[in-house]
Amino acid sequence: MLTTLLSLPTVLAFDVDGEGRLLVGYDGSGIRQLHEIAPDGNWRTLTELASTVRRARYIPGSRRVVIEHDSGGNELGQLSLLDLGADGLPEPVELVHDPAYLHWLIDANATRVLFSTNRRNGTDFDLVARDLETGADTVLYESSSYLATVTASPDDLWVTILVANGPGNSYQLLLVDATTKTVTELTAADAANYQDSVSWLPDSSAFIVSSDAGRDRLALRKYDVAQGTWSDLLADDAHDLAGWVCPDGEHLLVGTTDDGEISVALHKLTGEGSPVPLGLPTGGAAARSHVSPDPLWSADGSYALINYSSPIQPPSVIRYSRETGELFVVEVPDMPALPAGPAHPESHRITSFDGEQVPAFVYRPADGGDGSAVIVIHGGPEAAALRTWNPIVTALAAAGHTVVVPNVRGSAAYGKRWYSLDDKALRLDSVKDLAAIHAWLPSVGVDQDRVALWGGSYGGYMVLAGLAFQPSLWAAGVDIVGMASLTTFLANTSDYRRAVREREYGSLTEDSEFLEEASPLNRADDIEAPLLVIHGANDPRVPLSEAEQIAEALAKRDIPCQLLVYADEGHGLAKLKNRLDAYPQAFAFLAEQLASPNS
């Protein structure tokens, strides 16, 4: 079952051109490569690279495409051009290349490619426009921080930038005049608010942004450029909202997040009439990110492309017709039948140590299970577990484990108050949520002596923290690219990430005592449970040294710890061959550690 689920190919929409052609990422080869789908449905392979294609955009008015790709998962994005004019596999031509630095693709039009890069000093990001005719670069904005999201206006005269300033989970919104380079601060640098999904009106007179400024939930706000004024467009006190303006200037797609499900409806920009639901399958999320769906409109606004998945449906691309309301699912070539077993989860609220209610999804084995359980903790920490496809969760349930997927405090999609409850000195309160989950497990038929933790990135830190701070509770742990020490993680992570992560975890200079206190490595002598660690050698976020030092600490005490390192991977396992090597070993490890004493 595990091999079958891991091997199911997935597709992801990158762009759509004026003729209706689609650029999609497709991992049928085992590594996500770029493909084009013609209006008649025919597929064409565009890349056969050694690493994953991260982003791609059409260059309007031509048959050229700009792609972003890295090497071995190191996230040092390089930009190349593909000429699709001839038949066969196009040869990538270097556009912006310097393997020592990041170059992240943002946008492309007929004359320029917009990208962000840390090539000035390795830490701070600049916004750069590359002229496609002359090859000249124009720096539109120099930052002293991390650029989260950049969106150019349709007339190319303005750029909005979300900068990682202020508290954790917060972004400052800037408006840049692309001609004069004048920067206007639309929100304060120290304001505690999350903002995302900027969408411009087609005449470039205004834009819409999803923001929780002045409220607990993300709402839609509109900024009029000429007037310099804000207005509230749409809010829902119980749900996060995100919106995307249709190129017809009359309609707006609105995504609504509700306990892990993200639905989409078509609204009138004027607010007149009733919203029209797109009719996507229920129980899933129309999303590429952890917060909101990310539709792609065709140039004339006739079609929207939705990236959709659910616990019972692998990622797919759905085309929505605005005129007819028809939904068309892009057919994936050679897609095998989905094995029986995937099911939607139950939704629960678990009372934690201080009375807070922890949202959690419970995936039950079809036969009721054998009493064992695996707690799967998402990364982030300011991410969220959504109702999306996760072959690991499905396979764990198929193996007989009850799988609990919580959104512990600090998770997004449940309001600003909830995602702020683990900031800095409150970090260990999220670990206490794990103990509350453990105490609750008998209510769903789980044997508390046979429970393991599984998580990646920040979820990997939570695995190690659970084993170190609550050693009597857990039978085993699977840590994937997790942080063993918040101190060494912050000291050794990529320079460009340190300042961003310090906002969330605490500063090496100002919060060193607490960072040491909250580091599992410093409590390694308390760990009793066997551990399996998976890490990529090229990880730019959580260095391999984090995995090596926890493995070494446990080896000194003869605590079983297996470390699997993959030389061609970064922050996680992107290549199918590596997933098919690592995850079966992890499942065999859990089967041994969680086996019933009577089996």
Side-chain angles (χ1 to χ4, degrees), residues 53-94:
V53 175
R54 296 167 57 85
R55 297 173 182 86
R57 295 298 297 269
Y58 282 112
I59 296 176
S62 74
R63 286 292 287 144
R64 292 188 297 172
V65 170
V66 58
I67 64 171
E68 178 194 325
H69 50 100
D70 65 5
S71 177
N74 64 9
E75 298 185 15
L76 296 174
Q78 310 297 311
L79 307 185
S80 297
L81 286 174
L82 304 177
D83 188 342
L84 310 188
D87 293 335
L89 189 72
E91 182 71 23
V93 176
E94 292 185 359

Side-chain angles (χ1 to χ4, degrees), residues 321-394:
S321 170
R322 181 174 53 81
E323 186 68 27
T324 67
E326 178 186 6
L327 296 177
F328 172 76
V329 180
V330 172
E331 185 175 347
V332 177
D334 303 319
M335 184 69 174
L338 189 67
H344 290 287
E346 303 166 2
S347 181
H348 291 266
R349 294 294 186 272
I350 301 169
T351 303
S352 194
F353 69 98
D354 55 358
E356 294 286 353
Q357 301 294 301
V358 180
F361 305 128
V362 175
Y363 295 79
R364 294 181 182 269
D367 61 359
D370 62 3
S372 64
V374 180
I375 315 301
V376 177
I377 311 143
H378 68 74
E382 64 286 86
L386 298 176
R387 297 174 188 265
T388 53
W389 176 253
N390 188 327
I392 296 298
V393 168
T394 298

Side-chain angles (χ1 to χ4, degrees), residues 70-75 480-481 534-542 544 566-575 578:
D70 65 5
S71 177
N74 64 9
E75 298 185 15
I480 304 168
V481 299
I534 299 169
H535 218 102
N538 303 322
D539 193 337
R541 306 189 190 192
V542 179
L544 175 60
Y566 294 88
D568 56 348
E569 295 282 12
H571 195 60
L573 302 183
K575 297 179 172 62
N578 295 331

Side-chain angles (χ1 to χ4, degrees), residues 6 27 30-32 52 72-73 75 391-392 454 456-457 478-481 532-539 564-586:
L6 290 174
D27 59 5
I31 304 174
R32 189 173 70 204
T52 295
E75 298 185 15
I392 296 298
W454 176 302
S457 191
V478 177
D479 158 33
I480 304 168
V481 299
L532 186 143
V533 182
I534 299 169
H535 218 102
N538 303 322
D539 193 337
L564 305 177
V565 179
Y566 294 88
D568 56 348
E569 295 282 12
H571 195 60
L573 302 183
K575 297 179 172 62
L576 178 61
K577 66 180 180 66
N578 295 331
R579 296 197 298 270
L580 290 179
D581 181 76
Y583 293 140
Q585 294 187 67

Side-chain angles (χ1 to χ4, degrees), residues 90-111:
E91 182 71 23
V93 176
E94 292 185 359
L95 178 66
V96 181
H97 274 240
D98 186 338
Y101 299 105
L102 288 157
H103 312 88
W104 285 342
L105 175 63
I106 294 169
D107 192 20
N109 66 20
T111 62

Side-chain angles (χ1 to χ4, degrees), residues 284-330:
R288 285 205 323 214
S289 68
H290 65 271
V291 172
S292 56
D294 195 3
L296 303 169
W297 282 105
S298 62
D300 62 359
S302 296
Y303 296 100
L305 296 179
I306 310 292
N307 290 290
Y308 176 87
S309 79
S310 79
I312 65 171
Q313 180 178 333
S316 61
V317 174
I318 298 177
R319 187 183 68 195
Y320 166 75
S321 170
R322 181 174 53 81
E323 186 68 27
T324 67
E326 178 186 6
L327 296 177
F328 172 76
V329 180
V330 172

Side-chain angles (χ1 to χ4, degrees), residues 242-255:
W244 292 269
V245 177
C246 179
D248 70 355
E250 298 180 6
H251 295 88
L252 175 73
L253 280 181
V254 176

